[in-house]
Amino acid sequence: VVAICDTNSNPDEITDPVPGNDDAIRAINLYCDLISSAVLDGIQAEMIAAGVDVGAVADVEASAAADAEKAEEVAEEKASTEEKAEEASEKEAVNA
């Protein structure tokens, strides 16, 4: 078991204690960022070792994000057009 241990902790049951502040939010955020970065680096190293083209994976993800953004823009344009058509119908009904 690896654990962050402050001076007020009992590390007897911990096999790998890491001295650090376990009370401050900034410290916890730092630990989480460091651990997640290490995990992602490990996954990337495994993918590279397996022969996966990591750059191609990033290109696919970027393309998917661009497609999602474009779809959102189209949906917003459609909603705007429908709103304008509804306003025109309401004006037409008032003038009739």
mmCIF file of all heavy atoms in Angstrom, residues 35-54:
data_model
loop_
_atom_site.group_PDB
_atom_site.id
_atom_site.type_symbol
_atom_site.label_atom_id
_atom_site.label_comp_id
_atom_site.label_asym_id
_atom_site.label_seq_id
_atom_site.Cartn_x
_atom_site.Cartn_y
_atom_site.Cartn_z
ATOM 1 N N ILE A 35 -0.031 11.649 -10.352
ATOM 2 C CA ILE A 35 -0.375 10.232 -10.533
ATOM 3 C C ILE A 35 -1.058 10.014 -11.881
ATOM 4 O O ILE A 35 -0.715 9.089 -12.622
ATOM 5 C CB ILE A 35 -1.253 9.729 -9.368
ATOM 6 C CG1 ILE A 35 -0.418 9.694 -8.087
ATOM 7 C CG2 ILE A 35 -1.859 8.366 -9.673
ATOM 8 C CD1 ILE A 35 -1.215 9.482 -6.820
ATOM 9 N N SER A 36 -2.016 10.882 -12.242
ATOM 10 C CA SER A 36 -2.708 10.700 -13.527
ATOM 11 C C SER A 36 -1.750 10.882 -14.692
ATOM 12 O O SER A 36 -1.829 10.157 -15.693
ATOM 13 C CB SER A 36 -3.903 11.655 -13.644
ATOM 14 O OG SER A 36 -3.479 13.000 -13.664
ATOM 15 N N SER A 37 -0.819 11.805 -14.578
ATOM 16 C CA SER A 37 0.173 12.001 -15.630
ATOM 17 C C SER A 37 1.057 10.771 -15.784
ATOM 18 O O SER A 37 1.352 10.333 -16.901
ATOM 19 C CB SER A 37 1.035 13.232 -15.306
ATOM 20 O OG SER A 37 2.013 13.416 -16.298
ATOM 21 N N ALA A 38 1.450 10.182 -14.665
ATOM 22 C CA ALA A 38 2.279 8.976 -14.707
ATOM 23 C C ALA A 38 1.513 7.809 -15.333
ATOM 24 O O ALA A 38 2.063 7.048 -16.130
ATOM 25 C CB ALA A 38 2.744 8.610 -13.304
ATOM 26 N N VAL A 39 0.240 7.687 -15.009
ATOM 27 C CA VAL A 39 -0.578 6.617 -15.583
ATOM 28 C C VAL A 39 -0.700 6.801 -17.096
ATOM 29 O O VAL A 39 -0.530 5.857 -17.871
ATOM 30 C CB VAL A 39 -1.974 6.572 -14.914
ATOM 31 C CG1 VAL A 39 -2.926 5.683 -15.687
ATOM 32 C CG2 VAL A 39 -1.856 6.108 -13.474
ATOM 33 N N LEU A 40 -1.006 8.024 -17.529
ATOM 34 C CA LEU A 40 -1.144 8.289 -18.963
ATOM 35 C C LEU A 40 0.168 8.061 -19.702
ATOM 36 O O LEU A 40 0.177 7.519 -20.818
ATOM 37 C CB LEU A 40 -1.660 9.709 -19.196
ATOM 38 C CG LEU A 40 -3.094 9.954 -18.732
ATOM 39 C CD1 LEU A 40 -3.457 11.426 -18.884
ATOM 40 C CD2 LEU A 40 -4.072 9.074 -19.485
ATOM 41 N N ASP A 41 1.290 8.453 -19.096
ATOM 42 C CA ASP A 41 2.600 8.194 -19.708
ATOM 43 C C ASP A 41 2.843 6.696 -19.848
ATOM 44 O O ASP A 41 3.366 6.225 -20.865
ATOM 45 C CB ASP A 41 3.724 8.830 -18.892
ATOM 46 C CG ASP A 41 3.762 10.340 -18.995
ATOM 47 O OD1 ASP A 41 3.091 10.894 -19.901
ATOM 48 O OD2 ASP A 41 4.462 10.966 -18.174
ATOM 49 N N GLY A 42 2.447 5.928 -18.837
ATOM 50 C CA GLY A 42 2.603 4.475 -18.887
ATOM 51 C C GLY A 42 1.751 3.846 -19.974
ATOM 52 O O GLY A 42 2.199 2.958 -20.704
ATOM 53 N N ILE A 43 0.512 4.312 -20.098
ATOM 54 C CA ILE A 43 -0.372 3.799 -21.151
ATOM 55 C C ILE A 43 0.204 4.117 -22.521
ATOM 56 O O ILE A 43 0.216 3.270 -23.419
ATOM 57 C CB ILE A 43 -1.791 4.379 -20.990
ATOM 58 C CG1 ILE A 43 -2.452 3.800 -19.738
ATOM 59 C CG2 ILE A 43 -2.644 4.088 -22.226
ATOM 60 C CD1 ILE A 43 -3.756 4.478 -19.367
ATOM 61 N N GLN A 44 0.687 5.350 -22.694
ATOM 62 C CA GLN A 44 1.272 5.740 -23.973
ATOM 63 C C GLN A 44 2.508 4.894 -24.286
ATOM 64 O O GLN A 44 2.685 4.442 -25.418
ATOM 65 C CB GLN A 44 1.641 7.220 -23.969
ATOM 66 C CG GLN A 44 2.166 7.706 -25.306
ATOM 67 C CD GLN A 44 2.473 9.194 -25.300
ATOM 68 O OE1 GLN A 44 2.698 9.790 -24.258
ATOM 69 N NE2 GLN A 44 2.482 9.779 -26.470
ATOM 70 N N ALA A 45 3.343 4.631 -23.299
ATOM 71 C CA ALA A 45 4.536 3.809 -23.511
ATOM 72 C C ALA A 45 4.141 2.392 -23.922
ATOM 73 O O ALA A 45 4.762 1.801 -24.811
ATOM 74 C CB ALA A 45 5.395 3.786 -22.249
ATOM 75 N N GLU A 46 3.086 1.836 -23.297
ATOM 76 C CA GLU A 46 2.604 0.508 -23.666
ATOM 77 C C GLU A 46 2.101 0.486 -25.104
ATOM 78 O O GLU A 46 2.343 -0.467 -25.843
ATOM 79 C CB GLU A 46 1.480 0.063 -22.734
ATOM 80 C CG GLU A 46 1.948 -0.622 -21.492
ATOM 81 C CD GLU A 46 0.783 -1.221 -20.705
ATOM 82 O OE1 GLU A 46 -0.247 -1.586 -21.303
ATOM 83 O OE2 GLU A 46 0.933 -1.311 -19.488
ATOM 84 N N MET A 47 1.378 1.531 -25.487
ATOM 85 C CA MET A 47 0.841 1.600 -26.850
ATOM 86 C C MET A 47 1.970 1.675 -27.870
ATOM 87 O O MET A 47 1.938 1.001 -28.905
ATOM 88 C CB MET A 47 -0.102 2.802 -26.986
ATOM 89 C CG MET A 47 -1.394 2.648 -26.219
ATOM 90 S SD MET A 47 -2.439 4.120 -26.270
ATOM 91 C CE MET A 47 -2.957 4.115 -27.970
ATOM 92 N N ILE A 48 2.982 2.476 -27.564
ATOM 93 C CA ILE A 48 4.122 2.602 -28.469
ATOM 94 C C ILE A 48 4.863 1.270 -28.568
ATOM 95 O O ILE A 48 5.232 0.832 -29.657
ATOM 96 C CB ILE A 48 5.057 3.739 -28.006
ATOM 97 C CG1 ILE A 48 4.369 5.094 -28.222
ATOM 98 C CG2 ILE A 48 6.386 3.696 -28.743
ATOM 99 C CD1 ILE A 48 5.079 6.268 -27.581
ATOM 100 N N ALA A 49 5.039 0.596 -27.436
ATOM 101 C CA ALA A 49 5.718 -0.697 -27.433
ATOM 102 C C ALA A 49 4.932 -1.741 -28.225
ATOM 103 O O ALA A 49 5.516 -2.637 -28.832
ATOM 104 C CB ALA A 49 5.926 -1.181 -26.000
ATOM 105 N N ALA A 50 3.600 -1.595 -28.260
ATOM 106 C CA ALA A 50 2.756 -2.530 -29.000
ATOM 107 C C ALA A 50 2.689 -2.178 -30.481
ATOM 108 O O ALA A 50 2.057 -2.876 -31.254
ATOM 109 C CB ALA A 50 1.356 -2.562 -28.403
ATOM 110 N N GLY A 51 3.311 -1.059 -30.874
ATOM 111 C CA GLY A 51 3.335 -0.677 -32.274
ATOM 112 C C GLY A 51 2.197 0.224 -32.717
ATOM 113 O O GLY A 51 2.000 0.440 -33.908
ATOM 114 N N VAL A 52 1.425 0.743 -31.776
ATOM 115 C CA VAL A 52 0.330 1.643 -32.119
ATOM 116 C C VAL A 52 0.901 3.000 -32.479
ATOM 117 O O VAL A 52 1.791 3.512 -31.783
ATOM 118 C CB VAL A 52 -0.655 1.775 -30.932
ATOM 119 C CG1 VAL A 52 -1.732 2.794 -31.220
ATOM 120 C CG2 VAL A 52 -1.256 0.427 -30.597
ATOM 121 N N ASP A 53 0.410 3.594 -33.566
ATOM 122 C CA ASP A 53 0.834 4.934 -33.974
ATOM 123 C C ASP A 53 0.065 5.945 -33.128
ATOM 124 O O ASP A 53 -1.077 6.267 -33.420
ATOM 125 C CB ASP A 53 0.568 5.152 -35.460
ATOM 126 C CG ASP A 53 1.079 6.488 -35.961
ATOM 127 O OD1 ASP A 53 1.639 7.262 -35.158
ATOM 128 O OD2 ASP A 53 0.918 6.769 -37.164
ATOM 129 N N VAL A 54 0.678 6.407 -32.063
ATOM 130 C CA VAL A 54 0.024 7.309 -31.112
ATOM 131 C C VAL A 54 -0.379 8.609 -31.793
ATOM 132 O O VAL A 54 -1.424 9.186 -31.498
ATOM 133 C CB VAL A 54 0.936 7.573 -29.887
ATOM 134 C CG1 VAL A 54 0.276 8.531 -28.919
ATOM 135 C CG2 VAL A 54 1.266 6.262 -29.191
#
